[in-house]
Amino acid sequence: MIAALAKAALSPAGKALGALLLAGSLLGGVYAKGRVDGRASLAAQLAGDRITILKDGKAIDNEALAADDPALCALLGGCLQPDAD
């Protein structure tokens, strides 16, 4: 059994299949590494960014970040509440 596998692996078709498997695993590894690095880069970029809340084109960051829900609604001109019917 082992001799037959060794003979098949050393045949031209076996060598071609081995080369394809090796190339596929290398490309898959490079692809996976690129995705992980890309996600880490995006997460680092987004961690440094702040959301800017605008009202009439004016930034209200500091007030908005410190506001609770009712205060934030007041800063933005009021929030519509659904009818309790």
Side-chain angles (χ1 to χ4, degrees):
M1 174 84 171
I2 295 175
L5 288 175
K7 186 175 181 180
L10 295 176
S11 70
K15 289 179 183 178
L17 180 61
L20 283 174
L21 289 173
L22 178 63
S25 64
L26 287 174
L27 287 174
V30 168
Y31 174 77
K33 172 114 173 74
R35 282 189 58 96
V36 168
D37 289 350
R39 286 184 180 179
S41 172
L42 181 60
Q45 179 184 1
L46 290 176
D49 290 347
R50 286 181 34 174
I51 296 173
T52 302
I53 299 174
L54 299 176
K55 181 182 178 199
D56 300 327
K58 298 176 188 166
I60 55 171
D61 266 345
N62 295 331
E63 283 182 86
L65 291 174
D68 58 354
D69 288 343
L72 187 57
C73 282
L75 281 172
L76 295 174
C79 298
L80 297 176
Q81 297 295 322
D83 291 335
D85 295 332

